[in-house]
Every structure is written in C-alpha cells, then in structure tokens.
Amino acid sequence: MTRPATLIAVAGTATEIGKTWVTARIVETLRGRGFSANARKPVQSFGAGELGATDAEVLAAASGESPQAVCPAHRWYPVPMAPPLAAVLAGEAPPRLADLLVELRWPSPAPDFGFVETVGGVRSPLADDGDCRDLVRALDPDGILLVAGADLGAINAVRLAADALAGPPLAVFCNRYLPGDEVHRRNLAWLTERDGLSVETTIEDLADRIAGWR
C-alpha cells in the first residue's frame, strides 16, 4: 500500500477544536512551498446542515481532490455523533478499525506529506473496536499534530492528550491563540517551558515544524 513519505496523524484535545481547519491550512501551506500534501479522514459524521462543508469537503478543497478520495462515501454518517454511534442510528453496521485502515488510500506517486485526521478528542470512539488513540497507534505515524485550544483548561487538556499519544514526535498547535490574552500567553509558557512541549501558534511556524520531520 502506498504510504506518504511523511505520515502525520492529526488529533485534537476535544471536538470542534479546529482540527479540520488547521489541517486544511497546513496542506495548503505545504503545497504552496512546493511539497505534495494530501489529507485523509477515514470516517466522518455530521449534521444535516453541514453537507457541503463537511470535514472531507473542506480537506478536499485544500488539496484539490474529491471529497470521496478524502473519506470513502460509505463512511459518511449524517448523524452528529461519534461515528460508531452515528452508523447504528443511520441503520448501518459500525466500522471496525481494521476496515478503516484497509480503506486508507493515497495518490501514486506517494505524496511528501499525508495527514490522517481523527474525530473528536483523543479518546473519542472512532470505530466499533477502537478510538482515535488506537487509530494513531495503528498508523505508526512519523509525527503527530495535536490541535488544542488556548483558553482556560488548555494545560490539562494538552497534558492528557500528549500522555495518551506518547511515542512519535508531537507538535501542539494552540488554535485561536491571541498574543494579547494573558491566559493564552501563560498557558503557552507553561506548556513550552514547564512541560517541554513543542507548541506553535501560527500556521507558518507549524508548517516549518512539520517540514522538519521529513
């Protein structure tokens, strides 16, 4: 099976934290620098009003692929719940982790960077027999991008997620970071100075970090 030269798993500290937006911007930025970059979403669930702007569609727009190349059409569940729950409510058998891995397809020749975006938080159910952490471990990525917030609770959320994902190189992105916000500044300082984590707050700096994983 084709594997990107650099495979990166994308996880989040919570749902609606901005994983898709960040992944799309990174794909665009790397492509703008002359690299080939693609994103995959093995499974997605969404509300009825989101059709046309689902995660797969947003990621596809960033890489110039079809949404069905990003996420197989039969893995789109129009129920805003964790995918295995959404599948049951949609009258379908919930996906199994092995199925999602087998269905993961990349362009040929292999891209320089491939991003696999998970769902919800790190321990959110992604398949009937596994959560996002299980998928990340099965992928054995070259690096992990952890998207987090910057507000109150960010330190705890990042620490818990980083512990669960321990192993490959980890880059944390504090989404919606405001340099003038004292809470944001102090959270960032704690995570970098006390915990020794690699934390970025701009897409350009994050792209530099990820490019260094090649």
Side-chain angles (χ1 to χ4, degrees), residues 26-56:
I26 283 294
V27 167
E28 291 173 341
T29 301
L30 290 173
R31 288 168 64 88
R33 295 183 181 187
F35 296 110
S36 55
N38 300 87
R40 293 292 181 262
K41 182 97 174 182
V43 60
Q44 68 171 1
S45 54
F46 52 91
E50 296 179 72
L51 196 58
T54 65
D55 292 349

Short mmCIF file of all heavy atoms in Angstrom, two decimals, residues 26-56:
data_model
loop_
_atom_site.label_atom_id
_atom_site.label_comp_id
_atom_site.label_asym_id
_atom_site.label_seq_id
_atom_site.Cartn_x
_atom_site.Cartn_y
_atom_site.Cartn_z
N ILE A 26 -2.58 23.74 6.75
CA ILE A 26 -1.23 23.16 6.65
C ILE A 26 -1.02 22.54 5.28
O ILE A 26 0.04 22.68 4.66
CB ILE A 26 -1.01 22.13 7.78
CG1 ILE A 26 -0.73 22.84 9.10
CG2 ILE A 26 0.16 21.20 7.45
CD1 ILE A 26 0.57 23.62 9.10
N VAL A 27 -2.03 21.82 4.80
CA VAL A 27 -1.93 21.22 3.46
C VAL A 27 -1.71 22.31 2.42
O VAL A 27 -0.84 22.20 1.55
CB VAL A 27 -3.20 20.39 3.15
CG1 VAL A 27 -3.25 20.03 1.67
CG2 VAL A 27 -3.23 19.13 3.99
N GLU A 28 -2.50 23.37 2.50
CA GLU A 28 -2.35 24.48 1.55
C GLU A 28 -0.96 25.12 1.65
O GLU A 28 -0.34 25.43 0.63
CB GLU A 28 -3.42 25.53 1.82
CG GLU A 28 -4.83 25.09 1.47
CD GLU A 28 -5.88 26.10 1.91
OE1 GLU A 28 -5.57 26.95 2.78
OE2 GLU A 28 -7.00 26.03 1.39
N THR A 29 -0.49 25.31 2.86
CA THR A 29 0.80 25.96 3.06
C THR A 29 1.94 25.11 2.52
O THR A 29 2.85 25.62 1.83
CB THR A 29 1.03 26.26 4.55
OG1 THR A 29 -0.02 27.12 5.03
CG2 THR A 29 2.37 26.95 4.78
N LEU A 30 1.92 23.83 2.81
CA LEU A 30 2.98 22.95 2.31
C LEU A 30 2.95 22.85 0.79
O LEU A 30 4.00 22.86 0.13
CB LEU A 30 2.84 21.56 2.94
CG LEU A 30 3.15 21.46 4.43
CD1 LEU A 30 2.81 20.09 4.97
CD2 LEU A 30 4.63 21.78 4.70
N ARG A 31 1.76 22.78 0.23
CA ARG A 31 1.64 22.75 -1.23
C ARG A 31 2.15 24.05 -1.84
O ARG A 31 2.78 24.05 -2.90
CB ARG A 31 0.19 22.48 -1.63
CG ARG A 31 -0.25 21.04 -1.38
CD ARG A 31 -1.77 20.89 -1.51
NE ARG A 31 -2.24 21.15 -2.85
CZ ARG A 31 -2.32 20.25 -3.83
NH1 ARG A 31 -1.93 18.99 -3.61
NH2 ARG A 31 -2.79 20.57 -5.02
N GLY A 32 1.90 25.15 -1.15
CA GLY A 32 2.41 26.43 -1.61
C GLY A 32 3.92 26.51 -1.57
O GLY A 32 4.53 27.34 -2.27
N ARG A 33 4.55 25.68 -0.75
CA ARG A 33 6.01 25.65 -0.66
C ARG A 33 6.63 24.64 -1.63
O ARG A 33 7.83 24.41 -1.61
CB ARG A 33 6.43 25.31 0.77
CG ARG A 33 6.06 26.37 1.80
CD ARG A 33 6.58 26.00 3.17
NE ARG A 33 6.21 26.98 4.18
CZ ARG A 33 6.66 26.97 5.43
NH1 ARG A 33 7.51 26.02 5.82
NH2 ARG A 33 6.27 27.89 6.30
N GLY A 34 5.78 24.01 -2.43
CA GLY A 34 6.29 23.08 -3.44
C GLY A 34 6.24 21.62 -3.06
O GLY A 34 6.68 20.76 -3.84
N PHE A 35 5.72 21.29 -1.89
CA PHE A 35 5.57 19.90 -1.49
C PHE A 35 4.22 19.36 -1.99
O PHE A 35 3.28 20.12 -2.22
CB PHE A 35 5.59 19.77 0.03
CG PHE A 35 6.89 20.17 0.67
CD1 PHE A 35 6.97 21.33 1.44
CD2 PHE A 35 8.02 19.39 0.53
CE1 PHE A 35 8.16 21.70 2.06
CE2 PHE A 35 9.22 19.75 1.13
CZ PHE A 35 9.29 20.91 1.89
N SER A 36 4.15 18.06 -2.14
CA SER A 36 2.85 17.43 -2.37
C SER A 36 2.29 17.03 -1.01
O SER A 36 3.01 16.50 -0.16
CB SER A 36 3.00 16.20 -3.28
OG SER A 36 3.94 15.27 -2.76
N ALA A 37 1.03 17.33 -0.79
CA ALA A 37 0.41 17.07 0.52
C ALA A 37 -1.06 16.72 0.31
O ALA A 37 -1.76 17.37 -0.46
CB ALA A 37 0.55 18.27 1.44
N ASN A 38 -1.50 15.68 1.02
CA ASN A 38 -2.88 15.24 0.94
C ASN A 38 -3.39 14.93 2.34
O ASN A 38 -2.60 14.68 3.26
CB ASN A 38 -3.01 14.00 0.08
CG ASN A 38 -2.55 14.22 -1.35
OD1 ASN A 38 -1.37 14.08 -1.64
ND2 ASN A 38 -3.47 14.58 -2.23
N ALA A 39 -4.69 14.96 2.49
CA ALA A 39 -5.31 14.66 3.79
C ALA A 39 -6.34 13.56 3.62
O ALA A 39 -6.99 13.44 2.57
CB ALA A 39 -5.96 15.91 4.37
N ARG A 40 -6.49 12.78 4.68
CA ARG A 40 -7.48 11.72 4.69
C ARG A 40 -8.28 11.78 6.00
O ARG A 40 -7.73 12.09 7.05
CB ARG A 40 -6.82 10.34 4.56
CG ARG A 40 -6.16 10.10 3.20
CD ARG A 40 -7.18 10.01 2.12
NE ARG A 40 -6.63 9.77 0.79
CZ ARG A 40 -6.41 10.73 -0.11
NH1 ARG A 40 -6.66 11.99 0.20
NH2 ARG A 40 -5.92 10.43 -1.30
N LYS A 41 -9.55 11.49 5.90
CA LYS A 41 -10.45 11.41 7.05
C LYS A 41 -11.11 10.03 6.94
O LYS A 41 -12.05 9.85 6.16
CB LYS A 41 -11.50 12.52 6.98
CG LYS A 41 -12.47 12.55 8.15
CD LYS A 41 -12.03 13.55 9.21
CE LYS A 41 -13.08 13.67 10.30
NZ LYS A 41 -12.69 14.66 11.32
N PRO A 42 -10.64 9.03 7.66
CA PRO A 42 -11.15 7.66 7.46
C PRO A 42 -12.65 7.52 7.64
O PRO A 42 -13.28 6.67 7.00
CB PRO A 42 -10.39 6.85 8.52
CG PRO A 42 -9.14 7.64 8.76
CD PRO A 42 -9.55 9.07 8.64
N VAL A 43 -13.23 8.35 8.51
CA VAL A 43 -14.67 8.27 8.76
C VAL A 43 -15.12 9.63 9.27
O VAL A 43 -14.36 10.33 9.94
CB VAL A 43 -14.99 7.16 9.79
CG1 VAL A 43 -14.30 7.41 11.12
CG2 VAL A 43 -16.48 6.98 9.97
N GLN A 44 -16.34 10.03 8.92
CA GLN A 44 -16.85 11.30 9.42
C GLN A 44 -18.35 11.21 9.69
O GLN A 44 -19.07 10.45 9.04
CB GLN A 44 -16.58 12.44 8.43
CG GLN A 44 -17.35 12.37 7.13
CD GLN A 44 -17.19 13.64 6.29
OE1 GLN A 44 -16.48 14.58 6.66
NE2 GLN A 44 -17.85 13.69 5.15
N SER A 45 -18.78 11.97 10.68
CA SER A 45 -20.20 12.10 10.98
C SER A 45 -20.50 13.60 11.04
O SER A 45 -19.63 14.40 11.38
CB SER A 45 -20.55 11.41 12.30
OG SER A 45 -19.72 11.87 13.36
N PHE A 46 -21.73 13.97 10.72
CA PHE A 46 -22.03 15.39 10.59
C PHE A 46 -23.53 15.63 10.67
O PHE A 46 -24.34 14.71 10.48
CB PHE A 46 -21.49 15.92 9.26
CG PHE A 46 -21.93 15.12 8.06
CD1 PHE A 46 -23.08 15.44 7.36
CD2 PHE A 46 -21.19 14.02 7.64
CE1 PHE A 46 -23.49 14.70 6.26
CE2 PHE A 46 -21.59 13.26 6.55
CZ PHE A 46 -22.74 13.60 5.86
N GLY A 47 -23.90 16.88 10.94
CA GLY A 47 -25.30 17.25 10.97
C GLY A 47 -25.83 17.52 9.58
O GLY A 47 -25.06 17.79 8.65
N ALA A 48 -27.13 17.47 9.42
CA ALA A 48 -27.75 17.66 8.10
C ALA A 48 -27.37 18.99 7.48
O ALA A 48 -27.17 19.10 6.27
CB ALA A 48 -29.27 17.54 8.24
N GLY A 49 -27.24 20.03 8.28
CA GLY A 49 -26.92 21.34 7.75
C GLY A 49 -25.47 21.50 7.33
O GLY A 49 -25.10 22.53 6.75
N GLU A 50 -24.63 20.50 7.62
CA GLU A 50 -23.20 20.60 7.30
C GLU A 50 -22.85 20.07 5.92
O GLU A 50 -21.73 20.26 5.45
CB GLU A 50 -22.38 19.84 8.35
CG GLU A 50 -22.47 20.39 9.75
CD GLU A 50 -21.65 19.56 10.72
OE1 GLU A 50 -20.41 19.64 10.67
OE2 GLU A 50 -22.25 18.82 11.51
N LEU A 51 -23.78 19.38 5.27
CA LEU A 51 -23.48 18.82 3.96
C LEU A 51 -23.10 19.95 3.00
O LEU A 51 -23.81 20.94 2.87
CB LEU A 51 -24.69 18.06 3.42
CG LEU A 51 -24.42 17.11 2.24
CD1 LEU A 51 -23.39 16.07 2.63
CD2 LEU A 51 -25.71 16.43 1.80
N GLY A 52 -21.98 19.78 2.36
CA GLY A 52 -21.42 20.83 1.53
C GLY A 52 -20.22 21.48 2.19
O GLY A 52 -19.40 22.11 1.52
N ALA A 53 -20.13 21.30 3.50
CA ALA A 53 -18.99 21.84 4.26
C ALA A 53 -18.53 20.84 5.31
O ALA A 53 -18.09 21.23 6.40
CB ALA A 53 -19.35 23.16 4.90
N THR A 54 -18.65 19.55 5.00
CA THR A 54 -18.18 18.53 5.94
C THR A 54 -16.65 18.56 5.98
O THR A 54 -16.00 19.19 5.15
CB THR A 54 -18.64 17.13 5.51
OG1 THR A 54 -18.02 16.80 4.24
CG2 THR A 54 -20.15 17.06 5.36
N ASP A 55 -16.09 17.86 6.96
CA ASP A 55 -14.64 17.82 7.08
C ASP A 55 -13.98 17.34 5.79
O ASP A 55 -12.99 17.90 5.33
CB ASP A 55 -14.23 16.91 8.24
CG ASP A 55 -14.63 17.47 9.59
OD1 ASP A 55 -15.02 18.65 9.65
OD2 ASP A 55 -14.55 16.73 10.58
N ALA A 56 -14.53 16.27 5.21
CA ALA A 56 -13.95 15.73 3.98
C ALA A 56 -13.97 16.74 2.85
O ALA A 56 -13.03 16.84 2.06
CB ALA A 56 -14.69 14.46 3.57
#
